[in-house]
Structures are given as structure tokens and as C-alpha cells.
Amino acid sequence: MTARVAVILAGLLCTLTACGTREEVVFSDTPSPDGAWTLRLTVAESRMPQGPFHVRAYLYAGDDPARATRLLDTTLANDGVPFTRTNLAVRWTDARAALLCLRATDRPDRGWRIETGDAPRAVAVDKC
């Protein structure tokens, strides 16, 4: 009986994993003012109808996306309207920091300050 339960649980886990997200699609690449860094945003659509999208932010030096570091993986509500640069906005505030704003139609804006350097990081901010 326990082997049967284990098989059922394994099948359930595989099913839930399959309902995760689809392949990431590059939404935008935004170079820093001095060109030393690029902030890449990707979007992965949910496999579930009207499920949330996954928005991911990567930072890489110069023009080498193969060495990108993932700084953020968050969700954004799907209201059926395609995302634009109004919903997913990136603005470099100086050569070593950027502001990322996520705006769902009916939810409050969420923002992150992206910092470059030896240990790049994303820090949540109150306003964007």
C-alpha cells in the first residue's frame, strides 16, 4: 500500500511541476548609461489559464548574456492584456543602479532597485 501511495504522490508532483511556467521570453535588454552593464527582463507565461506570469531580472556585464546573474524572480498578475514597457519599466538612475517597476493593472506597483558591482543585488523599494 505504501508503494502505491508513493507512486501516486510522485505522479501528482510531476503534474504540478508540469503546470509551472513556459519558456522564458526576453522582454527587454536595457544597457546602463556607460554600457558596462545590461539589465535583461524576461517573462514566462503560466501554464495554467490566467495564472500569473513570472518576471525575471538578469544582470550581465557588457554584451555577454551567457554570464548573466539572475537577481529577481517574481510573479505579476495576468489580466489578459499583453505587457508593455508601461507594465515592466526599467530606468537606470546612474551607471551602477537601475529602478525596475512592475505594474499590474489592478494591483499596487512594486519596485526593485538593482545594484551592480562585485555582488549585484535587487532590493525591494516602496515606490517606483
Side-chain angles (χ1 to χ4, degrees), residues 88-101:
L88 307 176
V90 174
R91 183 180 73 230
W92 285 90
T93 57
D94 63 41
R96 299 185 55 92
L99 184 61
L100 167 62
C101 292

Side-chain angles (χ1 to χ4, degrees), residues 17-76:
T17 303
C19 290
T21 58
R22 295 186 178 150
E23 183 176 335
E24 288 179 81
V25 175
V26 175
F27 180 81
S28 67
D29 280 327
T30 308
S32 63
D34 63 0
W37 298 93
T38 300
L39 183 59
R40 171 173 280 183
L41 290 185
T42 65
V43 176
E45 187 177 340
S46 175
R47 291 188 187 274
M48 299 182 68
Q50 297 299 310
F53 283 76
H54 279 262
V55 177
R56 298 177 179 127
Y58 298 87
L59 186 67
Y60 58 91
D63 59 356
D64 188 9
R67 298 180 48 99
T69 300
R70 185 190 298 180
L71 299 177
L72 180 68
D73 183 354
T74 189
T75 58
L76 190 59

Side-chain angles (χ1 to χ4, degrees), residues 1-18:
M1 185 72 163
T2 25
R4 184 178 205 150
V5 170
V7 169
I8 291 171
L9 289 175
L12 182 60
L13 180 63
C14 287
T15 302
L16 290 174
T17 303

